[in-house]
Amino acid sequence: MDPDFKPDNSNIPLPRNLKIDGIIDSNIVNLNIASIVSRWIDKVDINNKLAHLRELYLPYKFNLLLRGSRDGFSPKKFHELCDNKPNTVTFIKVRETEEILGGYNPSIWKSSGDYDQSCSFIFSFKNKNRPDDSILSHVNNMNNALYYSDWRGPSFGYSDLKLAVAIRIGSKSSNHFNYNVCKQEYYEKKIRDIENMFYIEEYEVFQIIRNLLE
């Protein structure tokens, strides 16, 4: 009966009659997070952090466009695979943490043009197994919703969620972005407690498509 009670939902099973094949293939998030992001996109129970306990909301298929560990982490590869495709969701796994960052872009990505308008939003999860511990931040200034540049990956605002140039770290052979930051400017909330730069362990970009078989 306690209105502030938050149940431990890490082991809640999925509904048995739910068809989940082909919804999302991700190394970062699970179906609970895909469901929450879908609710945010469709503005369904967006203010209810326990809505995910009732049932999964999966009206979209998440088609993978880019996976950093598979395709490379460079901005060039991002633009090759993701430019001019509408309705994309980006998921980012922060290196050496369980933190997940991301954003939804209903418009398209481009290699140049500086800022563009979009009804986009950004978000964060402390842990994929605690989906109630999340932050949703809508754009405040639509004229500065997205930042286009050939030396950036997906970037929301100027630095609200910015992924930048890739370099090699130590003796590792894989590339990682070296100038990533979340500093609140054009979105309503900051999605990280700290504003220092962070490294990426993995990131994925999906194009969402309405599931006609739902």
Side-chain angles (χ1 to χ4, degrees):
M1 301 296 290
D2 183 355
D4 296 321
F5 173 70
K6 293 184 179 182
D8 181 2
N9 52 67
S10 58
N11 295 315
I12 293 176
L14 300 177
R16 294 182 180 179
N17 61 348
L18 181 67
K19 295 181 179 180
I20 61 175
D21 291 345
I23 294 294
I24 188 169
D25 172 21
S26 174
N27 291 341
I28 301 175
V29 302
N30 53 26
L31 282 174
N32 273 326
I33 290 182
S35 172
I36 291 170
V37 172
S38 297
R39 287 181 185 275
W40 290 340
I41 291 169
D42 286 353
K43 299 180 180 179
V44 176
D45 285 332
I46 60 173
N47 294 318
N48 184 357
K49 287 199 171 187
L50 298 182
H52 65 281
L53 296 179
R54 295 201 301 270
E55 62 180 2
L56 291 178
Y57 181 78
L58 299 169
Y60 300 105
K61 289 188 176 180
F62 289 68
N63 290 342
L64 183 66
L65 300 177
L66 180 151
R67 174 172 290 148
S69 60
R70 182 192 69 182
D71 303 308
F73 289 81
S74 70
K76 179 180 179 182
K77 183 57 66 174
F78 163 72
H79 289 294
E80 286 177 0
L81 297 178
C82 303
D83 276 6
N84 301 310
K85 294 181 173 64
N87 301 316
T88 58
V89 178
T90 300
F91 293 113
I92 301 158
K93 175 71 164 52
V94 179
R95 187 181 177 194
E96 297 179 351
T97 75
E98 296 300 317
E99 188 178 7
I100 297 169
L101 310 174
Y104 168 63
N105 176 12
S107 183
I108 62 171
W109 294 109
K110 296 187 293 185
S111 297
S112 61
D114 292 337
Y115 289 107
D116 195 23
Q117 296 183 348
S118 173
C119 293
S120 51
F121 61 77
I122 57 178
F123 54 83
S124 64
F125 294 88
K126 295 296 185 183
N127 186 307
K128 72 176 182 180
N129 294 318
R130 299 293 311 204
D132 54 307
D133 194 1
S134 62
I135 299 173
L136 169 64
S137 180
H138 286 94
V139 63
N140 268 337
N141 185 339
M142 284 187 56
N143 292 324
N144 302 96
L146 308 171
Y147 192 85
Y148 298 145
S149 171
D150 59 0
W151 59 271
R152 288 192 183 198
S155 293
F156 297 80
Y158 184 75
S159 59
D160 294 85
L161 177 57
K162 176 169 69 172
L163 307 189
V165 180
I167 61 170
R168 295 184 182 277
I169 297 177
S171 60
K172 294 184 178 180
S173 60
S174 61
N175 284 336
H176 293 260
F177 289 115
N178 75 312
Y179 192 62
N180 315 292
V181 68
C182 292
K183 182 179 180 181
Q184 182 189 5
E185 290 187 275
Y186 299 121
Y187 284 73
E188 62 182 359
K189 302 175 186 175
K190 63 180 182 179
I191 60 172
R192 298 194 82 212
D193 295 331
I194 54 178
E195 296 182 347
N196 59 305
M197 291 183 290
F198 61 90
Y199 288 106
I200 294 173
E201 179 178 317
E202 178 70 285
Y203 97 110
E204 298 168 333
V205 181
F206 296 86
Q207 183 177 36
I208 61 166
I209 298 174
R210 180 71 65 171
N211 186 358
L212 299 179
L213 299 178
E214 64 167 315

